[in-house]
């Protein structure tokens, strides 16, 4: 088995064992997911999902968040 075939086999098996799931945190892009994850470290996902829509209306990017 070639190295590329081994890699593809491993990837296929991992995707079979661990199908893609959506994170329980509401987000619009990678930045908002990062912020939601940081907030969830100190709170529950449920409470983060209550707050983030308000936050992300005002700041859904790093530049807006700095302001």
């Amino acid at each position: 088995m070639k190295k590329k075939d081994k890699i593809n086999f491993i990837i296929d098996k991992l995707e079979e064992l661990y199908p893609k799931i959506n994170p329980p945190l509401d987000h619009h892009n990678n930045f908002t997911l990062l912020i939601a994850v940081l907030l969830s470290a100190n709170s529950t996902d449920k409470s983060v999902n209550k707050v983030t829509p308000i936050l992300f209306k005002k700041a859904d990017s790093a530049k807006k968040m700095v302001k």
Side-chain angles (χ1 to χ4, degrees):
M1 190 180 255
K2 294 180 182 179
K3 186 175 182 177
K4 185 176 182 178
D5 294 332
K6 288 180 184 180
I7 292 169
N8 287 332
F9 175 80
I10 291 170
I11 290 171
D12 290 342
K13 285 298 174 185
L14 287 172
E15 287 177 347
E16 181 182 319
L17 292 170
Y18 304 102
K20 185 175 180 178
I21 57 168
N22 292 325
L25 297 168
D26 296 336
H27 64 285
H28 307 348
N29 55 41
N30 289 338
F31 177 75
T32 57
L33 177 59
L34 172 65
I35 298 302
V37 168
L38 291 173
L39 292 172
S40 72
N42 292 316
S43 186
T44 64
D45 292 349
K46 187 177 179 179
S47 62
V48 169
N49 285 338
K50 287 181 184 178
V51 174
T52 52
I54 299 163
L55 174 64
F56 296 152
K57 280 183 184 178
K58 294 182 178 188
D60 63 352
S61 70
K63 288 183 180 183
K64 291 179 185 176
M65 192 71 69
V66 169
K67 290 181 182 181

